[in-house]
Amino acid sequence: MQRLQLNDPIVLSSMIVMILKIENLNHSYNNKNKSVLTDINFSVKQGESVVIIGSSGCGKSTLLKSINRLVEPVSGNIFVDGENILDCGLKKAYNIRGKIGMIFQNFNLIGRSTVLDNVLNGRLRFNKNFNTLLRRFSADDYRIVRESLRKVGLENYESSNVDDLSGGQKQRVAIARTLAQEPKIILADEPVSNLDPKLMKETMDLLKKICEDNNMTLISSLHFLEFAKRYGTRIIGICDGKIVFDGNPDDLTDKDIVDIYGKTEEWDLYGRTGF
Amino acid sequence: MIFTVRPRNGIFMVELDFKLKRVWNKYKKFFIGLVVVLIYYWALGGTDVSIFNFIDGIPHMINFILRMFPPDFTNIGKFLLKTIETLQMAIIGSTIGALVALPLSFLAARNVMPNKIIYNSVRGIFDIFRGINEIVWGLIFVSMVGLGPFPGVLALSVHVTGALGRYFSEAIETVDPEIIKAIVSTGASKTQTVVRGIIPQVKPSFINYILYYLENNFRSATVLGLVGAGGIGMELLTSMRLFRSNEVLTILIIMVSMVLIIDKCSAYIRKNVINIEVVG
């Protein structure tokens, strides 16, 4: 009998962990006739960097928010690290949600409070309600928060008020908050839309490096095609709530781009000719 | 013809004639102005407001003010003690009111409490509590627990619970939902979301409302004395009834000084605790 070797492709493929699996996901908002997501199916491997592209209103944000159940989809299954977040109680959902960090377009930080206080929110899932009421966090929580701030280069800003920071610094605080959560997946909903081109690149470089260093899965939605190609190991194109492309960035053809963005004069705006 | 009947989507609709619409657009401001004038005419008629009566009364008012001078400081010690009692009533009344209103306000905020029965019930209680004036509550509590500062404290507590509860719940309803989503996305429980997501957002408004009601309660506590609910108000009433105008002036000086001191303290807290800079 042939003995399987560790470097055997069959063994390697069986060792790849699917951190996220989405099955038959459908969603529509109040107007039930208009479907926002239609029959979404895909799986994501541990450590993969998936970029979701599509024009505004195509369902990118809804898809990302469905993954951590910030949006309650109408039907389907979402398995995060083997557990179905859509088919479990509230407490279990908090637990699964804790494994998924999220970065938002508008940073979503608590104003009038310090950087440290904002990043500490990433440790809430490890803290008891009573301790949270007393604003008490463990020494371990503080150590992890400070380590997260160091990773994003804000170790000297922990007592600064977040309102006094620049847009790029605010997004780095949001990234640190997500890191403090020790997630397996990071969802980034248009994380650089509110930043200037230089900060866009810096922020995406930082996010990519952090995910690579920590073997985290990054699923981000981006508007610009060249950014998507540069930072994604895989691209998922969505048009009117349906997946119209799923593959390697190099496999993205002009026809696929037309399928995703519609008319050519529109997709030129998204950086077809390079960023 | 003023109205025309036209079929629309298979249903006959009564529409205002185009000419009438044109007339309305042309004289809209005039009609609205006329309605406003009529409302004021009606309201003034019911209140006997008369500029002539006011002018006739000015010499009496000057005479009353002149009779107050010089202020009589003979009983200043007693007045100061009663002022402190009024301040104590205001502090305890505001604190009890704020402590009761704080948890209840979350039940009366639509974005936190999805159950409409609870939401409407708590809102209803707040409306009853704040809808009845402190003096009426004072009269009710004086008949319940007798004369003195205690019914005053109860009256202020009930009124403040209603008022602060309403304002707190409205502040909670205006929090940024995106920030809440960020806290929820970390895996936080509902309690943690309230403590770390909602309270930091509403804290400045809450402190502002509490300080405002502390100032307001000092003035209300003074008036409550008039119905027997303790404090400097009772002394003011006694001096006025005995025509001791000079003592009345002394009490007014103490009251105004106290309001100014509380105002300064509030401004200091606002500036240093919630970082609100005074413009100008």
Side-chain angles (χ1 to χ4, degrees), chain A residues 65 68 70 94 97-98 100 102 104 108-110 112 117 120-122 124-125 127-129 132-133 135 137 177 181, chain B residues 176-179 181-193 195-198 200-201 203-204 274-276:
Chain A
K65 285 173 183 166
N68 62 356
L70 284 185
Y94 295 153
R97 200 182 263 154
I100 312 164
M102 190 157 194
F104 298 83
N108 295 3
L109 302 175
I110 308 274
R112 293 173 189 263
D117 214 29
L120 272 171
N121 287 334
L124 287 175
R125 75 175 176 120
N127 213 5
K128 290 201 168 86
N129 282 344
T132 307
L133 272 168
R135 300 173 59 86
F137 288 89
R177 176 177 63 193
Q181 205 179 317
Chain B
D176 185 349
E178 290 301 311
I179 292 176
K181 279 181 195 165
I183 301 294
V184 168
S185 74
T186 63
S189 67
K190 280 193 175 173
T191 311
Q192 288 175 326
T193 306
V195 174
R196 302 287 298 186
I198 295 179
Q201 287 192 68
K203 196 171 79 178
I274 50 178
N275 303 324
I276 291 177

Short mmCIF file of all heavy atoms in Angstrom, two decimals, chain A residues 65 68 70 94 97-98 100 102 104 108-110 112 117 120-122 124-125 127-129 132-133 135 137 177 181, chain B residues 176-179 181-193 195-198 200-201 203-204 274-276:
data_model
loop_
_atom_site.label_atom_id
_atom_site.label_comp_id
_atom_site.label_asym_id
_atom_site.label_seq_id
_atom_site.Cartn_x
_atom_site.Cartn_y
_atom_site.Cartn_z
N LYS A 65 -22.04 41.98 5.73
CA LYS A 65 -22.76 42.09 7.01
C LYS A 65 -23.58 40.83 7.30
O LYS A 65 -23.95 40.60 8.45
CB LYS A 65 -23.65 43.34 7.02
CG LYS A 65 -22.82 44.60 7.22
CD LYS A 65 -23.62 45.85 7.06
CE LYS A 65 -22.73 47.07 7.19
NZ LYS A 65 -23.38 48.28 6.74
N ASN A 68 -21.33 38.13 9.40
CA ASN A 68 -21.30 38.18 10.89
C ASN A 68 -22.70 38.49 11.46
O ASN A 68 -22.83 38.90 12.60
CB ASN A 68 -20.26 39.16 11.41
CG ASN A 68 -20.51 40.58 10.99
OD1 ASN A 68 -21.42 40.86 10.23
ND2 ASN A 68 -19.69 41.49 11.47
N LEU A 70 -24.82 40.82 11.02
CA LEU A 70 -25.30 42.19 11.30
C LEU A 70 -26.55 42.43 10.46
O LEU A 70 -27.37 43.28 10.78
CB LEU A 70 -24.23 43.23 10.94
CG LEU A 70 -23.06 43.40 11.90
CD1 LEU A 70 -22.16 44.53 11.46
CD2 LEU A 70 -23.51 43.63 13.33
N TYR A 94 -23.07 35.36 19.33
CA TYR A 94 -22.07 36.32 19.86
C TYR A 94 -20.69 35.69 19.76
O TYR A 94 -19.72 36.33 19.39
CB TYR A 94 -22.33 36.64 21.33
CG TYR A 94 -23.61 37.38 21.64
CD1 TYR A 94 -24.21 37.24 22.88
CD2 TYR A 94 -24.19 38.23 20.72
CE1 TYR A 94 -25.38 37.92 23.20
CE2 TYR A 94 -25.36 38.91 21.02
CZ TYR A 94 -25.95 38.75 22.27
OH TYR A 94 -27.11 39.41 22.57
N ARG A 97 -19.60 35.37 16.17
CA ARG A 97 -19.35 36.73 15.67
C ARG A 97 -17.99 37.25 16.17
O ARG A 97 -17.30 38.00 15.48
CB ARG A 97 -20.47 37.64 16.17
CG ARG A 97 -20.61 38.90 15.39
CD ARG A 97 -21.71 39.71 16.01
NE ARG A 97 -22.98 39.56 15.35
CZ ARG A 97 -24.15 39.74 15.95
NH1 ARG A 97 -24.21 40.04 17.23
NH2 ARG A 97 -25.27 39.63 15.27
N GLY A 98 -17.64 36.86 17.37
CA GLY A 98 -16.36 37.27 17.95
C GLY A 98 -15.17 36.80 17.14
O GLY A 98 -14.09 37.40 17.19
N ILE A 100 -15.03 36.90 14.03
CA ILE A 100 -15.01 37.69 12.79
C ILE A 100 -14.84 39.17 13.14
O ILE A 100 -15.72 39.76 13.76
CB ILE A 100 -16.33 37.52 12.00
CG1 ILE A 100 -16.69 36.03 11.89
CG2 ILE A 100 -16.24 38.16 10.65
CD1 ILE A 100 -18.14 35.81 11.47
N MET A 102 -14.50 43.19 12.09
CA MET A 102 -15.04 43.98 10.97
C MET A 102 -14.49 45.40 10.99
O MET A 102 -14.45 46.05 12.04
CB MET A 102 -16.57 43.99 11.01
CG MET A 102 -17.15 44.59 9.75
SD MET A 102 -18.84 44.04 9.48
CE MET A 102 -19.08 44.54 7.79
N PHE A 104 -14.95 49.15 9.15
CA PHE A 104 -16.02 49.87 8.45
C PHE A 104 -15.45 51.06 7.67
O PHE A 104 -14.40 51.60 8.01
CB PHE A 104 -17.06 50.38 9.44
CG PHE A 104 -17.76 49.28 10.20
CD1 PHE A 104 -17.18 48.72 11.33
CD2 PHE A 104 -18.99 48.81 9.80
CE1 PHE A 104 -17.80 47.71 12.04
CE2 PHE A 104 -19.63 47.80 10.50
CZ PHE A 104 -19.04 47.26 11.63
N ASN A 108 -16.22 54.05 12.50
CA ASN A 108 -17.17 53.71 13.58
C ASN A 108 -16.52 53.63 14.95
O ASN A 108 -16.68 52.63 15.67
CB ASN A 108 -17.92 52.42 13.26
CG ASN A 108 -18.81 52.57 12.05
OD1 ASN A 108 -18.82 53.62 11.42
ND2 ASN A 108 -19.55 51.55 11.73
N LEU A 109 -15.77 54.67 15.30
CA LEU A 109 -15.14 54.72 16.62
C LEU A 109 -16.03 55.52 17.57
O LEU A 109 -16.83 56.35 17.13
CB LEU A 109 -13.76 55.38 16.52
CG LEU A 109 -12.77 54.73 15.56
CD1 LEU A 109 -11.51 55.57 15.47
CD2 LEU A 109 -12.41 53.32 16.02
N ILE A 110 -15.84 55.29 18.87
CA ILE A 110 -16.60 56.06 19.86
C ILE A 110 -15.90 57.41 20.03
O ILE A 110 -14.75 57.45 20.46
CB ILE A 110 -16.64 55.33 21.22
CG1 ILE A 110 -17.12 53.89 21.06
CG2 ILE A 110 -17.45 56.11 22.25
CD1 ILE A 110 -18.59 53.66 21.06
N ARG A 112 -15.03 61.25 21.50
CA ARG A 112 -14.76 61.79 22.84
C ARG A 112 -14.13 60.76 23.76
O ARG A 112 -14.26 60.87 24.99
CB ARG A 112 -16.04 62.30 23.51
CG ARG A 112 -16.67 63.51 22.86
CD ARG A 112 -17.99 63.76 23.53
NE ARG A 112 -18.77 64.76 22.86
CZ ARG A 112 -18.82 66.04 23.23
NH1 ARG A 112 -18.14 66.46 24.25
NH2 ARG A 112 -19.57 66.89 22.57
N ASP A 117 -9.36 53.12 24.90
CA ASP A 117 -10.74 52.76 25.23
C ASP A 117 -11.45 52.14 24.03
O ASP A 117 -12.18 51.17 24.16
CB ASP A 117 -11.48 54.02 25.70
CG ASP A 117 -12.50 53.68 26.77
OD1 ASP A 117 -12.26 52.71 27.52
OD2 ASP A 117 -13.51 54.38 26.85
N LEU A 120 -10.02 48.66 23.37
CA LEU A 120 -10.48 47.72 24.40
C LEU A 120 -11.82 47.07 24.04
O LEU A 120 -12.12 45.96 24.48
CB LEU A 120 -10.61 48.43 25.75
CG LEU A 120 -9.34 48.48 26.62
CD1 LEU A 120 -9.55 49.41 27.80
CD2 LEU A 120 -8.92 47.10 27.11
N ASN A 121 -12.61 47.78 23.21
CA ASN A 121 -13.90 47.21 22.79
C ASN A 121 -13.70 45.89 22.03
O ASN A 121 -14.61 45.07 21.98
CB ASN A 121 -14.68 48.20 21.93
CG ASN A 121 -15.25 49.32 22.77
OD1 ASN A 121 -15.50 49.15 23.96
ND2 ASN A 121 -15.45 50.48 22.17
N GLY A 122 -12.54 45.72 21.45
CA GLY A 122 -12.24 44.47 20.76
C GLY A 122 -12.14 43.28 21.72
O GLY A 122 -12.20 42.13 21.29
N LEU A 124 -14.22 42.75 24.25
CA LEU A 124 -15.50 42.55 24.96
C LEU A 124 -15.94 41.09 25.00
O LEU A 124 -16.52 40.63 25.97
CB LEU A 124 -16.61 43.41 24.32
CG LEU A 124 -16.50 44.91 24.61
CD1 LEU A 124 -17.57 45.68 23.83
CD2 LEU A 124 -16.63 45.21 26.09
N ARG A 125 -15.66 40.35 23.94
CA ARG A 125 -16.14 38.96 23.91
C ARG A 125 -15.43 38.08 24.92
O ARG A 125 -15.88 37.00 25.23
CB ARG A 125 -16.03 38.38 22.50
CG ARG A 125 -14.64 37.99 22.05
CD ARG A 125 -14.76 37.33 20.69
NE ARG A 125 -13.48 37.00 20.13
CZ ARG A 125 -13.12 35.75 19.82
NH1 ARG A 125 -13.92 34.74 20.06
NH2 ARG A 125 -11.95 35.53 19.25
N ASN A 127 -14.75 39.29 27.93
CA ASN A 127 -15.04 39.92 29.23
C ASN A 127 -16.46 39.60 29.69
O ASN A 127 -17.36 39.46 28.86
CB ASN A 127 -14.89 41.45 29.06
CG ASN A 127 -14.39 42.11 30.31
OD1 ASN A 127 -14.06 41.44 31.29
ND2 ASN A 127 -14.34 43.42 30.30
N LYS A 128 -16.64 39.52 31.00
CA LYS A 128 -17.99 39.25 31.52
C LYS A 128 -18.78 40.57 31.58
O LYS A 128 -18.19 41.64 31.71
CB LYS A 128 -17.88 38.66 32.93
CG LYS A 128 -17.33 37.23 32.94
CD LYS A 128 -17.72 36.54 34.24
CE LYS A 128 -17.45 35.06 34.15
NZ LYS A 128 -16.09 34.68 34.50
N ASN A 129 -20.12 40.45 31.52
CA ASN A 129 -20.98 41.64 31.56
C ASN A 129 -20.70 42.50 32.79
O ASN A 129 -20.64 43.72 32.72
CB ASN A 129 -22.45 41.22 31.59
CG ASN A 129 -22.94 40.83 30.21
OD1 ASN A 129 -22.31 41.13 29.22
ND2 ASN A 129 -24.06 40.15 30.16
N THR A 132 -17.60 44.45 32.48
CA THR A 132 -17.79 45.54 31.51
C THR A 132 -18.52 46.71 32.16
O THR A 132 -18.17 47.87 31.93
CB THR A 132 -18.59 45.03 30.29
OG1 THR A 132 -17.96 43.86 29.79
CG2 THR A 132 -18.66 46.07 29.20
N LEU A 133 -19.52 46.38 32.99
CA LEU A 133 -20.25 47.43 33.71
C LEU A 133 -19.32 48.26 34.58
O LEU A 133 -19.48 49.47 34.71
CB LEU A 133 -21.34 46.80 34.58
CG LEU A 133 -22.69 46.55 33.94
CD1 LEU A 133 -23.54 45.67 34.83
CD2 LEU A 133 -23.41 47.86 33.66
N ARG A 135 -16.21 48.72 33.98
CA ARG A 135 -15.11 49.14 33.11
C ARG A 135 -13.81 48.42 33.48
O ARG A 135 -12.73 49.01 33.49
CB ARG A 135 -14.90 50.66 33.17
CG ARG A 135 -16.10 51.48 32.76
CD ARG A 135 -15.87 52.93 33.00
NE ARG A 135 -14.71 53.43 32.27
CZ ARG A 135 -14.73 53.86 31.03
NH1 ARG A 135 -15.85 53.87 30.36
NH2 ARG A 135 -13.64 54.30 30.45
N PHE A 137 -11.04 45.47 32.80
CA PHE A 137 -10.46 44.53 31.83
C PHE A 137 -9.23 43.90 32.46
O PHE A 137 -8.56 44.53 33.30
CB PHE A 137 -10.08 45.26 30.54
CG PHE A 137 -11.26 45.67 29.71
CD1 PHE A 137 -11.86 46.91 29.91
CD2 PHE A 137 -11.78 44.85 28.73
CE1 PHE A 137 -12.96 47.31 29.17
CE2 PHE A 137 -12.87 45.23 27.98
CZ PHE A 137 -13.47 46.46 28.19
N ARG A 177 -8.60 47.64 16.89
CA ARG A 177 -9.76 47.12 17.63
C ARG A 177 -10.10 45.71 17.12
O ARG A 177 -10.37 44.80 17.90
CB ARG A 177 -10.95 48.06 17.43
CG ARG A 177 -12.25 47.56 18.07
CD ARG A 177 -13.37 48.56 17.91
NE ARG A 177 -13.73 48.78 16.51
CZ ARG A 177 -14.50 49.76 16.07
NH1 ARG A 177 -15.00 50.63 16.92
NH2 ARG A 177 -14.77 49.89 14.79
N GLN A 181 -9.50 41.68 18.96
CA GLN A 181 -10.57 40.68 19.00
C GLN A 181 -10.01 39.28 18.72
O GLN A 181 -10.70 38.29 18.93
CB GLN A 181 -11.57 41.08 17.91
CG GLN A 181 -12.96 40.63 18.09
CD GLN A 181 -13.82 41.14 16.93
OE1 GLN A 181 -13.71 42.29 16.51
NE2 GLN A 181 -14.68 40.28 16.43
N ASP B 176 -25.63 56.91 17.02
CA ASP B 176 -25.22 56.48 15.68
C ASP B 176 -25.31 54.95 15.58
O ASP B 176 -24.55 54.24 16.24
CB ASP B 176 -23.78 56.96 15.43
CG ASP B 176 -23.31 56.68 14.02
OD1 ASP B 176 -24.01 55.95 13.31
OD2 ASP B 176 -22.24 57.20 13.64
N PRO B 177 -26.22 54.42 14.74
CA PRO B 177 -26.36 52.96 14.66
C PRO B 177 -25.12 52.27 14.11
O PRO B 177 -24.87 51.10 14.40
CB PRO B 177 -27.57 52.76 13.74
CG PRO B 177 -27.73 54.03 13.02
CD PRO B 177 -27.16 55.12 13.86
N GLU B 178 -24.32 53.00 13.32
CA GLU B 178 -23.11 52.39 12.75
C GLU B 178 -22.09 52.06 13.85
O GLU B 178 -21.39 51.06 13.78
CB GLU B 178 -22.49 53.33 11.70
CG GLU B 178 -23.32 53.46 10.44
CD GLU B 178 -23.54 52.13 9.72
OE1 GLU B 178 -22.56 51.40 9.51
OE2 GLU B 178 -24.70 51.82 9.41
N ILE B 179 -22.02 52.94 14.86
CA ILE B 179 -21.09 52.69 15.98
C ILE B 179 -21.57 51.47 16.77
O ILE B 179 -20.78 50.63 17.19
CB ILE B 179 -20.96 53.95 16.86
CG1 ILE B 179 -20.23 55.04 16.07
CG2 ILE B 179 -20.21 53.64 18.16
CD1 ILE B 179 -20.11 56.36 16.76
N LYS B 181 -23.18 48.99 15.51
CA LYS B 181 -22.84 47.82 14.69
C LYS B 181 -21.39 47.41 14.92
O LYS B 181 -21.07 46.22 14.97
CB LYS B 181 -23.06 48.13 13.21
CG LYS B 181 -24.50 48.01 12.78
CD LYS B 181 -24.64 48.31 11.30
CE LYS B 181 -26.10 48.54 10.96
NZ LYS B 181 -26.26 49.15 9.65
N ALA B 182 -20.52 48.43 15.05
CA ALA B 182 -19.09 48.13 15.28
C ALA B 182 -18.90 47.39 16.60
O ALA B 182 -18.11 46.45 16.69
CB ALA B 182 -18.28 49.41 15.26
N ILE B 183 -19.64 47.79 17.63
CA ILE B 183 -19.51 47.13 18.94
C ILE B 183 -20.12 45.72 18.86
O ILE B 183 -19.52 44.75 19.32
CB ILE B 183 -20.20 47.97 20.05
CG1 ILE B 183 -19.59 49.37 20.13
CG2 ILE B 183 -20.13 47.26 21.41
CD1 ILE B 183 -18.16 49.44 20.58
N VAL B 184 -21.29 45.63 18.22
CA VAL B 184 -21.95 44.32 18.08
C VAL B 184 -21.04 43.35 17.32
O VAL B 184 -20.94 42.17 17.67
CB VAL B 184 -23.31 44.50 17.35
CG1 VAL B 184 -23.88 43.16 16.93
CG2 VAL B 184 -24.30 45.22 18.25
N SER B 185 -20.35 43.88 16.30
CA SER B 185 -19.52 43.00 15.46
C SER B 185 -18.33 42.41 16.22
O SER B 185 -17.72 41.46 15.74
CB SER B 185 -19.03 43.76 14.22
OG SER B 185 -18.01 44.66 14.59
N THR B 186 -18.00 42.94 17.39
CA THR B 186 -16.88 42.38 18.15
C THR B 186 -17.31 41.13 18.93
O THR B 186 -16.49 40.51 19.60
CB THR B 186 -16.31 43.40 19.17
OG1 THR B 186 -17.32 43.70 20.12
CG2 THR B 186 -15.83 44.67 18.51
N GLY B 187 -18.60 40.82 18.88
CA GLY B 187 -19.11 39.68 19.64
C GLY B 187 -19.64 40.10 21.00
O GLY B 187 -19.84 39.24 21.87
N ALA B 188 -19.88 41.41 21.17
CA ALA B 188 -20.36 41.92 22.46
C ALA B 188 -21.80 41.50 22.71
O ALA B 188 -22.59 41.39 21.76
CB ALA B 188 -20.27 43.44 22.47
N SER B 189 -22.13 41.27 23.99
CA SER B 189 -23.52 40.94 24.35
C SER B 189 -24.35 42.22 24.34
O SER B 189 -23.81 43.32 24.17
CB SER B 189 -23.55 40.32 25.74
OG SER B 189 -23.19 41.30 26.70
N LYS B 190 -25.67 42.08 24.57
CA LYS B 190 -26.54 43.27 24.57
C LYS B 190 -26.15 44.24 25.66
O LYS B 190 -26.11 45.45 25.46
CB LYS B 190 -28.01 42.84 24.74
CG LYS B 190 -28.58 42.34 23.43
CD LYS B 190 -30.08 42.21 23.49
CE LYS B 190 -30.60 41.82 22.12
NZ LYS B 190 -32.01 41.53 22.10
N THR B 191 -25.86 43.69 26.86
CA THR B 191 -25.46 44.56 27.98
C THR B 191 -24.18 45.31 27.63
O THR B 191 -24.06 46.51 27.86
CB THR B 191 -25.24 43.71 29.25
OG1 THR B 191 -26.35 42.85 29.41
CG2 THR B 191 -25.06 44.56 30.48
N GLN B 192 -23.22 44.58 27.06
CA GLN B 192 -21.95 45.21 26.71
C GLN B 192 -22.14 46.26 25.63
O GLN B 192 -21.49 47.31 25.66
CB GLN B 192 -20.97 44.13 26.23
CG GLN B 192 -20.47 43.24 27.36
CD GLN B 192 -19.60 42.11 26.86
OE1 GLN B 192 -19.81 41.58 25.77
NE2 GLN B 192 -18.63 41.72 27.66
N THR B 193 -23.06 46.00 24.70
CA THR B 193 -23.32 46.98 23.64
C THR B 193 -23.90 48.27 24.23
O THR B 193 -23.53 49.37 23.82
CB THR B 193 -24.30 46.38 22.60
OG1 THR B 193 -23.77 45.14 22.15
CG2 THR B 193 -24.49 47.29 21.42
N VAL B 195 -23.46 49.31 27.39
CA VAL B 195 -22.45 49.95 28.25
C VAL B 195 -21.32 50.59 27.42
O VAL B 195 -20.89 51.70 27.71
CB VAL B 195 -21.87 48.92 29.25
CG1 VAL B 195 -20.73 49.51 30.05
CG2 VAL B 195 -22.96 48.43 30.19
N ARG B 196 -20.86 49.89 26.38
CA ARG B 196 -19.70 50.37 25.64
C ARG B 196 -20.07 51.09 24.34
O ARG B 196 -19.21 51.79 23.77
CB ARG B 196 -18.77 49.21 25.29
CG ARG B 196 -18.26 48.43 26.48
CD ARG B 196 -17.23 49.16 27.28
NE ARG B 196 -16.03 49.46 26.53
CZ ARG B 196 -14.95 50.01 27.08
NH1 ARG B 196 -14.93 50.31 28.36
NH2 ARG B 196 -13.89 50.29 26.35
N GLY B 197 -21.31 50.91 23.87
CA GLY B 197 -21.68 51.53 22.59
C GLY B 197 -22.65 52.68 22.73
O GLY B 197 -22.50 53.71 22.08
N ILE B 198 -23.66 52.50 23.60
CA ILE B 198 -24.69 53.55 23.70
C ILE B 198 -24.30 54.59 24.76
O ILE B 198 -24.31 55.80 24.48
CB ILE B 198 -26.07 52.92 24.01
CG1 ILE B 198 -26.52 52.05 22.84
CG2 ILE B 198 -27.11 54.00 24.30
CD1 ILE B 198 -27.86 51.36 23.01
N PRO B 200 -21.45 55.66 26.12
CA PRO B 200 -20.44 56.68 25.78
C PRO B 200 -20.96 57.73 24.80
O PRO B 200 -20.54 58.88 24.85
CB PRO B 200 -19.31 55.85 25.13
CG PRO B 200 -19.49 54.48 25.63
CD PRO B 200 -20.96 54.30 25.81
N GLN B 201 -21.89 57.35 23.94
CA GLN B 201 -22.43 58.31 22.98
C GLN B 201 -23.39 59.30 23.63
O GLN B 201 -23.47 60.45 23.23
CB GLN B 201 -23.16 57.57 21.86
CG GLN B 201 -22.25 56.86 20.88
CD GLN B 201 -23.01 56.40 19.65
OE1 GLN B 201 -23.48 57.20 18.85
NE2 GLN B 201 -23.15 55.10 19.49
N LYS B 203 -23.53 59.99 26.99
CA LYS B 203 -23.05 60.52 28.27
C LYS B 203 -23.02 62.06 28.32
O LYS B 203 -23.54 62.63 29.28
CB LYS B 203 -21.66 59.95 28.59
CG LYS B 203 -21.25 60.12 30.03
CD LYS B 203 -19.98 59.35 30.34
CE LYS B 203 -18.77 60.09 29.84
NZ LYS B 203 -17.50 59.43 30.14
N PRO B 204 -22.47 62.74 27.29
CA PRO B 204 -22.47 64.21 27.36
C PRO B 204 -23.89 64.79 27.48
O PRO B 204 -24.12 65.70 28.27
CB PRO B 204 -21.81 64.64 26.05
CG PRO B 204 -21.04 63.46 25.61
CD PRO B 204 -21.79 62.26 26.08
N ILE B 274 -17.19 67.07 30.31
CA ILE B 274 -17.64 66.65 28.97
C ILE B 274 -17.04 67.52 27.87
O ILE B 274 -17.46 67.47 26.72
CB ILE B 274 -19.18 66.59 28.86
CG1 ILE B 274 -19.82 67.88 29.38
CG2 ILE B 274 -19.73 65.42 29.57
CD1 ILE B 274 -21.33 67.88 29.26
N ASN B 275 -16.00 68.31 28.22
CA ASN B 275 -15.22 69.07 27.24
C ASN B 275 -16.06 69.95 26.33
O ASN B 275 -15.86 69.98 25.11
CB ASN B 275 -14.38 68.14 26.37
CG ASN B 275 -13.45 67.29 27.19
OD1 ASN B 275 -12.94 67.75 28.21
ND2 ASN B 275 -13.27 66.05 26.79
N ILE B 276 -17.05 70.66 26.91
CA ILE B 276 -17.81 71.60 26.09
C ILE B 276 -17.23 72.99 26.32
O ILE B 276 -17.22 73.49 27.44
CB ILE B 276 -19.32 71.57 26.45
CG1 ILE B 276 -19.92 70.23 26.01
CG2 ILE B 276 -20.06 72.73 25.79
CD1 ILE B 276 -21.37 70.07 26.37
#
